[in-house]
Amino acid sequence: MIGSFNARLVARFAAIPALTLFLGACSSMSLPSFSSNEPPPPTEPGVAPEMPATIRADEIVGRWGLASFQNPADRPRTEKAARDQCKQPYVIGAGQSGGVIMHLADQATPQELRLKGSPSGKNYIGPPGPTPGEQDREIVSFDGRVLITRFVDKDAGVRYGNMVYVRCAPRA
């Protein structure tokens, strides 16, 4: 049996959470403002529509030799190494919904990615979502024959470097 002292102690401790909830509810209520000098509260920015890239998906579909470099001075040597990889090309396929089939960083299975533009004029390859997203790769340069990309994610960018894709000659 609980003594009267213990019952009062339990009741006091039970009242604390109830009072906290009550005060929290009061503080979240807003009173109407009759002053016209106050600016309206800022609205949440909406998600901007995805911008089209200046490079079309069909321009990068095909067979590519692949290599990478960290030091920009290594680019010519890396392009030659990528060309030599055409014996075992990296294939960029066409996606069913207009994208391209490529690998994301550290993913064993390729998936359909989109080519996305940005207000700054840069192009990206990545999954649907904000541009640039953490899983996107920026298209550093593309001339139709050589495609150079770099992952947006800093860690992946350091590990993979600048990815050089050199278009392989058509099969004979």
Side-chain angles (χ1 to χ4, degrees):
M1 180 166 208
I2 299 178
S4 65
F5 176 75
N6 289 337
R8 282 189 297 234
L9 190 61
V10 169
R12 283 186 196 153
F13 284 121
I16 292 173
L19 184 59
T20 303
L21 287 173
F22 177 74
L23 291 175
C26 288
S27 68
S28 67
M29 292 175 27
S30 61
L31 298 174
S33 174
F34 298 107
S35 170
S36 61
N37 294 340
E38 291 182 29
T43 59
E44 293 281 331
V47 176
E50 206 169 271
M51 292 183 64
T54 58
I55 300 168
R56 295 184 325 269
D58 64 338
E59 292 180 280
I60 66 169
V61 169
R63 297 171 46 238
W64 299 85
L66 176 61
S68 72
F69 67 89
Q70 294 285 353
N71 184 349
D74 293 337
R75 179 179 171 173
R77 179 185 58 77
T78 306
E79 283 185 29
K80 182 185 178 319
R83 203 172 7 268
D84 293 343
Q85 290 298 315
C86 282
K87 298 173 199 125
Q88 297 176 328
Y90 179 81
V91 178
I92 299 176
Q96 291 183 349
S97 62
V100 293
I101 306 295
M102 294 180 76
H103 291 85
L104 289 172
D106 305 321
Q107 298 295 317
T109 306
Q111 66 184 49
E112 184 167 359
L113 304 174
R114 296 179 176 187
L115 275 86
K116 307 185 282 186
S118 70
S120 66
K122 294 180 181 180
N123 292 303
Y124 297 89
I125 303 170
T131 305
E134 278 296 305
Q135 293 183 314
D136 289 353
R137 65 186 86 193
E138 178 186 348
I139 297 176
V140 177
S141 71
F142 178 66
D143 65 5
R145 188 185 67 79
V146 176
L147 169 69
I148 299 177
T149 67
R150 183 162 184 83
F151 284 100
V152 170
D153 177 68
K154 298 287 188 217
D155 185 50
V158 167
R159 284 184 284 119
Y160 292 101
N162 294 288
M163 308 290 288
V164 178
Y165 300 81
V166 175
R167 190 174 296 280
C168 298
R171 291 183 188 174

